Amino acid sequence: MRGNCVLKSGLLFVTLSLAIAKHKQSSFFKGCYPRGTLSQAVDMLYVKTAWLKATIPEDHIKNIRLLKKKSKKLFMKNCRFQEQLLSFFMEDVFGQLQLQVCKEIHFVEEFHSLRQKLSRCISCTSSAREMKSITRIKRTFYGIGNRGIYKAIAELDILFSWIKQFLESIK
């Protein structure tokens, strides 16, 4: 059973690596998906988040939030922040998660797919510079150690609600 977990973790690591590489290539192919398709993908991930939350320890840190109201305003208006926040979840959160949970590979693949689809709909000049909000989120995430993973997973519903609201705001 432990060997199976190690194998699945290895597969997740390979999937993450390929997903990140594929994402960098996908910027050449701009073609937005219908809003309904994106909305359905968010709904599916929202449902699967409940399953993912059930596979990890509960978030007991109630006085700290990664995703704050200021971050929501940035997410709704700033495409660079959107990309950096989705990258944070893909690389930092799910990259750390693979070491702890064995069965989340499909969730990560679907999250990456949604990220790619969103990036095709939003034209944004790339920026290597990190914004202060992302730096704060990462500092908080890493500052609370392994519990940062549980905090980030617990706040996925917030992220998905922001994505839904953003999709509804697109004309």
Side-chain angles (χ1 to χ4, degrees), residues 130-160:
E130 261 193 350
M131 303 175 93
K132 288 180 184 178
S133 292
I134 292 295
T135 304
R136 179 196 54 78
I137 290 169
K138 286 185 177 186
R139 188 175 31 244
T140 304
F141 174 78
Y142 286 108
I144 56 179
N146 285 344
R147 295 178 304 164
I149 296 168
Y150 313 139
K151 172 61 68 184
I153 298 298
E155 294 186 13
L156 275 172
D157 336 9
I158 296 169
L159 176 64
F160 293 140

Side-chain angles (χ1 to χ4, degrees), residues 47-152:
V47 169
K48 291 181 180 190
T49 297
W51 171 84
L52 182 61
K53 285 180 182 182
T55 66
I56 63 171
E58 187 177 337
D59 170 31
H60 292 291
I61 305 172
K62 303 301 179 195
N63 61 338
I64 297 175
R65 285 194 56 183
L66 297 174
L67 303 178
K68 297 182 178 184
K69 288 182 182 182
K70 286 182 181 179
S71 300
K72 179 183 179 182
K73 290 178 184 177
L74 276 172
F75 186 86
M76 298 303 280
K77 295 181 179 181
N78 189 312
C79 60
R80 287 188 201 114
F81 181 76
Q82 290 171 0
E83 174 55 34
Q84 289 174 349
L85 186 60
L86 294 173
S87 292
F88 161 73
F89 271 91
M90 189 70 198
E91 297 163 13
D92 296 88
V93 176
F94 298 140
Q96 294 288 321
L97 182 65
Q98 69 148 342
L99 302 173
Q100 302 208 1
V101 182
C102 296
K103 298 178 181 179
E104 76 288 334
I105 191 165
H106 296 295
F107 182 87
V108 173
E109 289 171 345
E110 290 178 34
F111 184 89
H112 172 69
S113 176
L114 173 66
R115 179 180 167 207
Q116 278 188 311
K117 290 173 183 174
L118 283 171
S119 72
R120 290 182 185 160
C121 294
I122 304 162
S123 61
C124 186
T125 58
S126 63
S127 171
R129 205 177 64 193
E130 261 193 350
M131 303 175 93
K132 288 180 184 178
S133 292
I134 292 295
T135 304
R136 179 196 54 78
I137 290 169
K138 286 185 177 186
R139 188 175 31 244
T140 304
F141 174 78
Y142 286 108
I144 56 179
N146 285 344
R147 295 178 304 164
I149 296 168
Y150 313 139
K151 172 61 68 184

Side-chain angles (χ1 to χ4, degrees), residues 153-169:
I153 298 298
E155 294 186 13
L156 275 172
D157 336 9
I158 296 169
L159 176 64
F160 293 140
S161 72
W162 292 0
I163 293 171
K164 290 279 282 190
Q165 289 175 15
F166 175 76
L167 291 172
E168 290 169 5
S169 73

